[in-house]
């Protein structure tokens, strides 16, 4: 009989106000949001020399902004250089602010059962881009950005949706580091300007 299960469901003495916490969080959201920024000024956007390359973060979950679902950064690829190579489950779009170059994309076959497996396909596809273009990166595609101009940097604005990360699917893997990556570098606007004026021949 169904009541036989009462020996299990009636056990336990732990108590918690989890629903009440959800209710209070929802009720308090307008007050919290009023304290979060709708405008982020350039000097408030953090620089990072990451494994993916030189980034200036526009907004993300750690920057106390009102935006809830999107992360965005500016990727600066030095003259004649390239970004890191990585793969992530979230789809991505990048707007080319300035410069010209190309992307290399390698699609993956993905299997999600009780485990998660991905296998790169043999074909690597090349896509040319220039200022004003939008680059689309499908989910789980291995990709890398190349600056084809030996004298000027390229700037790309990347946007991804946080829904994957917030759903426990923050699948992000770095496959190759950007040539400029240095975990000890300290960045500011002036240092970045000086760095980006260095030509490929001078860095070689």
């Amino acid at each position: 009989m169904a009541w036989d299960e009462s020996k299990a469901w009636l056990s336990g003495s732990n108590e918690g106000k989890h629903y009440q916490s959800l209710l209070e969080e929802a009720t308090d959201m307008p007050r919290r949001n009023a304290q979060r920024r709708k405008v982020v000024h350039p000097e408030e956007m953090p620089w990072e020399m990451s494994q993916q390359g030189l980034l200036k973060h526009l907004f993300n979950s750690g920057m106390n902004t009102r935006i809830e679902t999107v992360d965005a950064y500016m990727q600066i690829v030095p003259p004649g250089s390239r970004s890191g190579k990585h793969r992530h489950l979230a789809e991505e779009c990048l707007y080319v602010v300035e410069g010209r170059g190309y992307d290399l994309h390698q699609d993956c076959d993905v299997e999600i059962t009780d485990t998660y497996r991905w296998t790169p396909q043999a074909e690597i596809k090349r896509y040319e881009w220039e200022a004003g273009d939008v680059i689309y990166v499908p989910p789980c595609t291995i990709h890398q950005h190349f600056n084809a101009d030996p004298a000027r940097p390229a700037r790309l604005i990347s946007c991804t949706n946080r829904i994957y990360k917030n759903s426990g699917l923050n699948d992000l893997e770095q496959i190759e580091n950007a040539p400029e990556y240095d975990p000890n570098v300290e960045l500011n606007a002036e240092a970045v300007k000086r760095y980006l004026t260095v030509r490929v021949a001078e860095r070689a």
Side-chain angles (χ1 to χ4, degrees):
M1 296 178 61
W3 278 101
D4 292 341
E5 188 235 347
S6 66
K7 295 176 183 177
W9 72 263
L10 283 174
S11 64
S13 58
N14 292 336
E15 184 179 358
K17 296 186 177 181
H18 302 294
Y19 178 81
Q20 186 64 31
S21 295
L22 289 173
L23 182 59
E24 290 172 359
E25 182 181 1
T27 304
D28 192 46
M29 186 173 290
R31 182 195 64 79
R32 290 198 316 275
N33 280 344
Q35 299 174 350
R36 298 165 71 186
R37 293 177 292 175
K38 284 188 174 180
V39 177
V40 182
H41 301 290
E43 64 273 12
E44 299 169 325
M45 301 172 187
W47 290 104
E48 181 181 6
M49 180 57 81
S50 71
Q51 291 173 269
Q52 186 60 10
L54 180 59
L55 309 179
K56 188 169 192 182
H57 295 279
L58 308 183
F59 44 82
N60 57 47
S61 58
M63 292 176 61
N64 194 34
T65 63
R66 281 290 298 270
I67 194 159
E68 297 279 359
T69 59
V70 176
D71 289 328
Y73 58 75
M74 185 181 300
Q75 171 106 49
I76 301 95
V77 185
S81 191
R82 62 189 183 275
S83 72
K85 181 193 294 185
H86 68 181
R87 176 197 60 81
H88 41 76
L89 186 57
E91 62 183 354
E92 178 183 17
C93 68
L94 301 103
Y95 176 74
V96 183
V97 180
E98 65 175 329
R100 59 181 176 84
Y102 60 94
D103 266 30
L104 294 183
H105 290 190
Q106 187 173 15
D107 294 330
C108 294
D109 295 320
V110 179
E111 181 182 0
I112 303 176
T113 54
D114 55 335
T115 61
Y116 174 79
R117 291 192 292 268
W118 58 275
T119 305
Q121 296 179 2
E123 184 181 11
I124 298 176
K125 301 172 184 176
R126 176 171 169 148
Y127 299 95
E128 306 283 339
W129 47 256
E130 61 182 13
D133 290 343
V134 172
I135 306 162
Y136 173 67
V137 181
C140 211
T141 296
I142 297 170
H143 56 283
Q144 190 169 24
H145 317 299
F146 293 79
N147 184 353
D149 192 330
R152 298 179 59 189
R155 287 191 298 131
L156 316 171
I157 293 180
S158 163
C159 293
T160 57
N161 197 307
R162 292 181 203 161
I163 190 66
Y164 294 91
K165 180 171 63 177
N166 293 343
S167 300
L169 297 171
N170 188 27
D171 181 45
L172 171 62
E173 181 174 10
Q174 196 70 33
I175 297 168
E176 177 185 315
N177 291 341
E180 296 78 22
Y181 172 62
D182 180 351
N184 300 312
V185 71
E186 294 183 9
L187 290 175
N188 56 48
E190 288 306 313
V192 170
K193 287 178 186 176
R194 289 194 304 270
Y195 178 77
L196 292 180
T197 59
V198 177
R199 300 295 184 264
V200 174
E202 295 170 349
R203 291 192 283 116

